[in-house]
Amino acid sequence: MVKNTRPGYRCAECGREETKWVGRCPECQAWGTLEEVGVPRAALARITAGTPSAPARPIADVDVEVARARQTGVPELDRVLGGGLVPGAVVLLAGEPGVGKSTLLLEVAFRWATLDAGPALYVSGEESAGQVRLRAERTGAVHEQMYLAAESDISAVLGHVDMVKPSLLVIDSVQTLASAEVDGTQGGVTQVRAVTAALVALAKDRDLPVLLVGHVTKDGSIAGPRLLEHLVDVVLQFEGDRHSALRMVRGVKNRFGPADEVGCFELVDQGIVGVPDPSGLFLNRRDTGVPGTAVTVAVEGKRPLLGEVQALVAHSHLGTPRRAVSGLDSSRVAMALAVLERRGGIRLAESDVFTATVGGMRIIEPAADLAVALAVASAAKDFALPPDLVVLGEVGLAGEVRRVAGVRTRLAEAARLGFTRALIPPDAGKIPEGIRAHVVPDLGAALALVMHGV
């Protein structure tokens, strides 16, 4: 049968295909990335029924034990994965350069090997085997059941899998692998799609869990075609400031568990270690209050984390006062400042306002609105909030304090760490023991309480 072809265009950034050339890709909004390709168009044919690979069974008769998650030996990663690695699962771990992706997965391979789960194969496409061995010595991740290979060809990787027969495969990274049978440059859309599809097929055929390292673009999104995230079972985002030792693994997609969990790690000289109780990293505990600080409780996944919001208000000598934000949502901070000036009577139009979090924590949820507003008010009026006070609540444009989710869980975590008082929105539900809560219906009531003593 002769196939007809017609000219088509494919985006080199995201892989979107168009029938005609356009200057800007409709999917990823990149300019000048559409390239002409031959798009085969086969004649329509009638599809007939084929022989199933296995007969369909009642869902109650399907064995679920073969799909049970297996712990990796790294508890914080197991938390994000939903208990561990499922046989045949393909996990994509993406993050910025230098954040610690290779160090974490090398630790996972080491812990996996020590659990007598079978050999772990670590394939590096960016470093030589000697370089990986040096890192493993430094972090103490050397085991006789760990195998290293430096390859950039997917066929060679499959050959290593046949020889080693591992129970865990780590690829660092998927953008460095290529296939000689597929057109396109290494790391391009076509090559990444083909390599990932081959690894997914390998994982499903042999019930082999596969961990892939992925690169990110300048804006922090995962590099390569969007199809990459659809092909894999789990997508994890590895986050962290290079100037801070704290690292967070955040679930973005998970077919086998919750997709909103967060694991906390600390990067040390000996490698990377899990932090089961990270709340203390985001607080500067003091015996007396300091103007311009307020403590709130954020929820990452199902984990409550106490964080400190700091503010500095100074008279501005510029025509347009500066507004600097670090670790907070700049749009919500701007809204809180406007509400504070209009509803709270605190003039900020002629002042520079700087707001930040402590310890590299990022708080973007609305539950921190009231803490931001009170921290700024505390800095502007030079009064200190009590050191044992936590603040919760979303602030609306009318100045009202709105209810937030999980107030009981947040307050229980605050009480565990020694806080005894809290400002909360109305209708917060049952308050846990050990903490005295003050209900504030609006921003004015909150300001009156903290300025005249809670």
Side-chain angles (χ1 to χ4, degrees), residues 102-410:
S102 301
T103 304
L104 174 61
L105 293 189
L106 193 63
E107 180 70 16
V108 171
F110 169 71
R111 295 297 181 93
W112 186 273
T114 58
L115 293 175
D116 293 329
L121 176 58
Y122 189 102
V123 179
S124 176
E126 300 178 346
E127 300 174 290
S128 66
Q131 291 173 321
V132 179
R133 173 75 163 85
L134 286 175
R135 184 191 297 118
E137 279 189 349
R138 178 175 59 84
T139 61
V142 179
H143 195 275
E144 60 182 6
Q145 285 293 85
M146 284 179 63
Y147 291 80
L148 295 178
E151 297 289 353
S152 59
D153 184 78
I154 185 63
S155 300
V157 172
L158 298 181
H160 283 295
V161 172
D162 289 335
M163 289 187 292
V164 177
K165 293 181 173 53
S167 59
L168 174 68
L169 176 62
V170 179
I171 304 294
D172 185 11
S173 63
V174 67
Q175 277 88 1
T176 61
L177 295 184
S179 174
E181 301 177 357
V182 179
D183 295 333
T185 59
Q186 187 182 50
V189 173
T190 307
Q191 286 286 356
V192 171
R193 182 190 292 117
V195 167
T196 306
L199 291 173
V200 170
L202 172 70
K204 305 306 179 187
D205 182 57
R206 306 193 184 192
D207 287 335
L208 174 65
V210 178
L211 299 177
L212 306 177
V213 174
H215 296 166
V216 296
T217 59
K218 289 187 293 184
D219 61 355
S221 59
I222 299 175
R226 196 70 177 181
L227 181 65
L228 177 63
E229 298 177 54
H230 293 292
L231 285 175
V232 301
D233 301 304
V234 182
V235 179
L236 305 179
Q237 192 82 22
F238 204 15
E239 303 173 353
D241 186 356
R242 63 175 61 249
H243 303 295
S244 172
L246 179 69
R247 300 290 186 268
M248 284 190 176
V249 177
R250 191 183 306 274
V252 178
K253 169 190 174 182
N254 193 348
R255 290 174 177 166
F256 313 113
D260 58 352
E261 274 293 353
V262 171
C264 295
F265 297 86
E266 188 174 8
L267 205 60
V268 297
D269 293 338
Q270 294 75 27
I272 191 167
V273 295
V275 183
D277 189 10
S279 288
L281 298 175
F282 310 122
L283 291 176
N284 286 332
R285 298 303 298 270
R286 309 177 183 90
D287 295 333
T288 59
V290 177
T293 64
V295 177
T296 188
V297 187
V299 174
E300 296 284 356
K302 296 179 177 62
R303 167 180 284 178
L305 299 175
L306 269 77
E308 182 177 325
V309 178
Q310 295 186 340
L312 177 63
V313 179
H315 179 71
S316 179
H317 298 282
L318 303 176
T320 302
R322 288 174 292 182
R323 300 286 187 263
V325 179
S326 176
L328 298 163
D329 187 349
S330 58
S331 61
R332 299 206 68 87
V333 171
M335 184 192 73
L337 297 182
V339 174
L340 189 62
E341 183 163 358
R342 182 66 178 85
R343 308 295 182 186
I346 297 179
R347 186 170 177 80
L348 301 170
E350 299 175 353
S351 301
D352 296 328
V353 181
F354 304 88
T355 54
T357 57
V358 172
M361 186 179 186
R362 179 164 174 78
I363 306 176
I364 59 175
E365 62 172 328
D369 288 352
L370 186 59
V372 172
L374 293 186
V376 174
S378 170
K381 295 297 184 180
D382 197 26
F383 69 90
L385 274 67
D388 61 344
L389 175 72
V390 292
V391 181
L392 301 175
E394 176 186 357
V395 178
L397 294 179
E400 77 278 12
V401 179
R402 298 177 179 176
R403 183 173 57 183
V404 297
V407 172
R408 179 176 175 81
T409 302
R410 299 173 196 257

Side-chain angles (χ1 to χ4, degrees), residues 29-63:
Q29 305 299 315
W31 288 93
T33 57
L34 266 70
E35 302 172 352
E36 185 175 356
V37 293
V39 182
R41 183 177 58 184
L44 294 177
R46 183 178 179 182
I47 300 176
T48 58
T51 304
S53 58
R57 291 177 292 169
I59 190 170
D61 296 341
V62 177
D63 185 12

